[in-house]
């Protein structure tokens, strides 16, 4: 990691050289230096809502199932997004087992 000699901000790779995003200073790549570039990737992953028969003991609420018309469903909360966003509420019909989610 290198810092700008002009404004002391962090330098970022830009077209084979390093550039300061704050003041625009550009430093060419030196032949003997080795640049480290981190590349992040986010793979798609499946979210397991409930494993096995763990709906036993979950609280129930009065909500209509769109599949069978039943008015009682189990419910629970899961944090699926970043911590500063609200939790996602899941429902599972007590009659047909259909599962759906509700966002705030």
């Amino acid at each position: 990691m290198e810092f700008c000699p002009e404004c002391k901000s962090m330098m970022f790779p830009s077209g084979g050289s390093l550039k300061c995003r704050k003041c625009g200073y550009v430093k060419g790549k030196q032949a003997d230096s080795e640049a480290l570039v981190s590349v992040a990737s986010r793979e798609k992953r499946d979210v397991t809502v409930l494993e096995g028969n763990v709906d036993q003991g979950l609280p129930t609420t009065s909500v209509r199932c769109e599949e069978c018309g039943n008015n009682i469903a189990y419910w629970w909360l899961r944090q699926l997004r970043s911590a500063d966003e609200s939790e996602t509420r899941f429902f599972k019909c007590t009659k047909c087992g259909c599962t759906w989610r509700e966002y705030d």
Side-chain angles (χ1 to χ4, degrees), residues 23-37:
C23 72
Y25 177 82
V26 177
K27 180 179 180 184
K29 184 178 177 187
Q30 296 174 359
D32 61 340
S33 70
E34 186 176 312
L36 299 175
V37 177

Side-chain angles (χ1 to χ4, degrees), residues 5-42:
E6 301 292 322
C7 68
K8 309 300 184 222
S9 294
M10 191 164 51
M11 304 281 285
F12 292 92
S14 176
S17 60
L18 296 173
K19 184 175 182 179
C20 175
R21 291 184 182 170
K22 187 173 180 182
C23 72
Y25 177 82
V26 177
K27 180 179 180 184
K29 184 178 177 187
Q30 296 174 359
D32 61 340
S33 70
E34 186 176 312
L36 299 175
V37 177
S38 174
V39 178
S41 67
R42 202 174 257 205

Side-chain angles (χ1 to χ4, degrees), residues 17-101:
S17 60
L18 296 173
K19 184 175 182 179
C20 175
R21 291 184 182 170
K22 187 173 180 182
C23 72
Y25 177 82
V26 177
K27 180 179 180 184
K29 184 178 177 187
Q30 296 174 359
D32 61 340
S33 70
E34 186 176 312
L36 299 175
V37 177
S38 174
V39 178
S41 67
R42 202 174 257 205
E43 297 178 19
K44 182 182 176 192
R45 62 182 181 140
D46 294 327
V47 176
T48 303
V49 178
L50 284 178
E51 293 179 354
N53 196 15
V54 292
D55 54 358
Q56 308 300 334
L58 288 175
T60 58
T61 188
S62 178
V63 63
R64 183 169 175 77
C65 174
E66 295 293 325
E67 294 292 317
C68 70
N70 185 30
N71 289 322
I72 300 174
Y74 300 111
W75 68 274
W76 66 97
L77 299 172
R78 289 273 317 260
Q79 185 72 42
L80 299 179
R81 297 172 280 181
S82 62
D84 63 341
E85 296 184 38
S86 63
E87 295 175 314
T88 304
R89 188 175 307 114
F90 287 91
F91 298 96
K92 182 175 182 179
C93 178
T94 57
K95 185 176 178 184
C96 71
C98 176
T99 304
W100 67 97
R101 60 178 86 184

